[in-house]
Amino acid sequence: MLERDGIDRRNPLRRRVHEVIFEADTPMGKLFDALLLITILVSILAVMLESVPTYQASHGTLLRTVEWVLTIVFTAEYILRLWCVRRPTHYAKSFFGVVDMLAILPTYLSLLIPGAQSLMVIRSIRLLRVFRIFKLARYLSEVLSLMHALRATRHKITVFLFIVVAMALILGTLMYMIEGEQGGFTSIPAGFYWAIVTLTTVGYGDLAPHTVPGQIIASVGMLLGYSMIIIPIGIFAVEIVKRHGKEPTTHACPNCMREGHDTDAIHCKFCGSPLH
């Protein structure tokens, strides 16, 4: 009974912290998300500025100070998240748990690598701080709707991609047969690469047909590429329209920490635990 909803009922502070950190439907939850969003953006900006030599030379101390302050803030946030959930190890191994760890770990690792010869290694490790940009996803209201739409259309999109790959393989093989090595198509994989570049309308120009039949096939591939762009967009748009007006809440399950529940949900749709 004490942990029926995943949060220890003997500790109201723990329940309160969980509501503030994991719920975006309450005033305090919205305020917490807004402040943390600003902190993440400042952190990303600091990482970007630190990569600019002029800013690093003139404001290196300030940027390092900002980095350590933000690292301490993110560390406190991470500890609070682990403390207020029922299964800390489950959250630590989740996507956002790993992202939260990657957001703070590089700064601490940089202290454990001594020696001037390791400065480049430290610099590369600290670049992992850009993983903080993934923390933004938790605080964007439309991300859940997009994720649900992607999940609902994954089978259709997979079939579509399989068809595209099959078409690219056919076009690439035909181009290899027609143009041959003298035209730069030295193998079927080379033709397959050209077909993918053509169908996706990227068109690097490093491979191009020189014969009339090859140019005809290339023209067909270009037209197919343009016509196929609308297919995944249409599939995805239909799912978004279907979910319009039925957006899930940001209420996180205290047990499995997953979001995306309906507004009138009483139990978690993923693990069955009570949400309240």
Side-chain angles (χ1 to χ4, degrees):
M1 291 290 296
L2 291 175
E3 292 187 355
R4 186 182 64 183
D5 63 351
I7 302 298
D8 193 345
R9 293 184 177 276
R10 293 172 300 180
N11 194 336
L13 177 61
R14 189 180 176 195
R15 295 202 310 272
R16 180 59 177 168
V17 172
H18 182 273
E19 291 177 359
V20 172
I21 293 180
F22 286 97
E23 312 301 336
D25 298 329
T26 62
M28 289 300 298
K30 292 179 180 179
L31 177 61
F32 176 83
D33 286 352
L35 292 176
L36 199 54
L37 178 61
I38 295 173
T39 305
I40 295 170
L41 292 175
V42 171
S43 172
I44 295 172
L45 179 61
V47 173
M48 295 173 62
L49 291 178
E50 191 178 9
S51 67
V52 181
T54 54
Y55 282 100
Q56 187 179 22
S58 58
H59 301 89
T61 303
L62 175 62
L63 291 174
R64 285 190 292 272
T65 302
V66 170
E67 168 58 26
W68 274 107
V69 171
L70 296 180
T71 297
I72 293 172
V73 171
F74 289 132
T75 302
E77 177 218 357
Y78 182 68
I79 294 174
L80 286 175
R81 289 184 182 276
L82 294 178
W83 174 71
C84 70
V85 298
R86 180 180 181 181
R87 300 164 61 186
T89 56
H90 182 81
Y91 174 77
K93 293 186 293 185
S94 66
F95 171 76
F96 284 118
V98 173
V99 169
D100 290 342
M101 175 59 70
L102 289 175
I104 61 176
L105 192 59
T107 303
Y108 294 114
L109 284 178
S110 65
L111 296 176
L112 303 178
I113 305 179
Q117 70 278 6
S118 302
L119 289 178
M120 292 303 297
V121 178
I122 295 175
R123 186 176 181 83
S124 63
I125 292 176
R126 289 171 67 85
L127 289 178
L128 290 176
R129 291 174 298 168
V130 298
F131 274 91
R132 288 175 184 170
I133 197 169
F134 288 107
K135 289 167 67 68
L136 293 173
R138 185 189 281 122
Y139 309 104
L140 300 180
S141 60
E142 298 300 324
V143 168
L144 280 177
S145 297
L146 294 177
M147 290 177 63
H148 279 275
L150 285 173
R151 190 178 298 114
T153 58
R154 65 184 184 276
H155 298 298
K156 297 177 182 178
I157 298 298
T158 300
V159 172
F160 170 76
L161 291 176
F162 176 79
I163 295 174
V164 171
V165 171
M167 292 177 57
L169 183 59
I170 294 172
L171 289 175
T173 303
L174 290 175
M175 193 61 71
Y176 168 71
M177 295 172 58
I178 295 173
E179 294 290 329
E181 295 185 5
Q182 64 273 16
F185 293 83
T186 57
S187 63
I188 291 180
F192 182 62
Y193 158 78
W194 167 86
I196 292 177
V197 171
T198 302
L199 287 174
T200 55
T201 70
V202 176
Y204 288 130
D206 52 347
L207 280 177
H210 300 286
T211 64
V212 174
Q215 292 172 352
I216 293 175
I217 292 178
S219 300
V220 172
M222 295 172 194
L223 293 175
L224 286 174
Y226 275 111
S227 62
M228 288 190 306
I229 292 176
I230 196 173
I231 296 178
I233 296 176
I235 294 174
F236 190 75
V238 168
E239 188 61 32
I240 290 291
V241 173
K242 286 170 59 178
R243 298 194 63 84
H244 181 69
K246 299 188 297 182
E247 288 82 1
T249 67
T250 56
H251 190 99
C253 173
N255 185 53
C256 68
M257 307 314 303
R258 298 182 68 176
E259 301 178 355
H261 304 95
D262 297 332
T263 54
D264 57 349
I266 300 177
H267 293 82
C268 175
K269 68 169 73 173
F270 305 104
C271 69
S273 299
L275 293 176
H276 304 286

